[in-house]
Amino acid sequence: MRISKKALDPFSKLLLTISKEADDIKVLNETLESLSIEELERTKAYFSGTGTRISFYQLRNVLIGSFMAGVMIFLLNMFQEYFFVAVIALLFFLACLTELFRTALTFPIKTNLALAYSRGKYDRVVSLTDIILAERYAEVRKNSMKS
């Protein structure tokens, strides 16, 4: 998405207004309805970026680590009489625990939750913009078929 320098300031003000109003769906709907098709396209392109929900990755690491640690406990209990296998299982179990603690202690959970909340607001803006654009394109198509 390319924006000229002249249009950059109004567009940034528009994005700021939309992101502030994203919590109230009625106000957001009114704001988006007042935009032109080009502005709606730009807004949709901006808000539908490739943002990820960071908390999912944190939860994924915890689940994978928990599963692997459970497997290691099972293997440790199953092969207790084999010293070599027990040592390897124990080392792998400790590595999994270290990874779990590292994940839990290094991720800034509060920041990630704020990002996930913002991403939810942006998803709401994108879905509402999709609906409005579909209606506008249907109107344009209907008007062009009448002509």
Side-chain angles (χ1 to χ4, degrees):
M1 177 177 80
R2 300 227 174 199
I3 298 176
S4 66
K5 289 185 179 184
K6 186 171 76 171
L8 190 60
D9 190 43
F11 183 65
S12 63
K13 288 179 183 176
L14 173 69
L15 292 177
L16 186 63
T17 303
I18 289 174
S19 63
K20 283 182 181 177
E21 295 172 350
D23 288 326
D24 188 7
I25 195 78
K26 290 181 183 179
V27 176
L28 178 64
N29 191 20
E30 291 171 4
T31 304
L32 291 176
E33 284 285 346
S34 67
L35 300 177
S36 67
I37 290 179
E38 292 83 17
E39 289 173 331
L40 284 171
E41 286 287 347
R42 285 184 184 166
T43 304
K44 179 184 171 193
Y46 180 81
F47 281 118
S48 64
T50 58
T52 57
R53 294 184 184 265
I54 306 296
S55 57
F56 166 74
Y57 291 106
Q58 182 180 8
L59 181 62
R60 184 188 69 176
N61 285 343
V62 169
L63 290 176
I64 289 172
S66 299
F67 175 75
M68 294 304 292
V71 168
M72 288 301 105
I73 290 172
F74 171 75
L75 289 176
L76 184 61
N77 286 335
M78 191 170 167
F79 295 108
Q80 280 180 354
E81 61 270 3
Y82 300 108
F83 179 75
F84 184 69
V85 175
V87 168
I88 291 175
L90 186 62
L91 290 175
F92 196 68
F93 174 67
L94 291 175
C96 288
L97 282 179
T98 305
E99 183 66 26
L100 279 175
F101 286 125
R102 190 183 67 81
T103 301
L105 297 176
T106 57
F107 278 115
I109 294 173
K110 192 172 185 179
T111 307
N112 291 337
L113 290 177
L115 287 174
Y117 176 72
S118 295
R119 189 71 234 160
K121 286 188 345 184
Y122 301 157
D123 290 345
R124 191 176 318 127
V125 169
V126 169
S127 63
L128 207 62
T129 305
D130 277 340
I131 294 168
I132 293 171
L133 279 172
E135 290 173 357
R136 297 258 179 99
Y137 286 140
E139 286 177 20
V140 168
R141 184 171 178 228
K142 190 164 64 170
N143 290 339
S144 67
M145 292 181 87
K146 285 182 182 179
S147 301

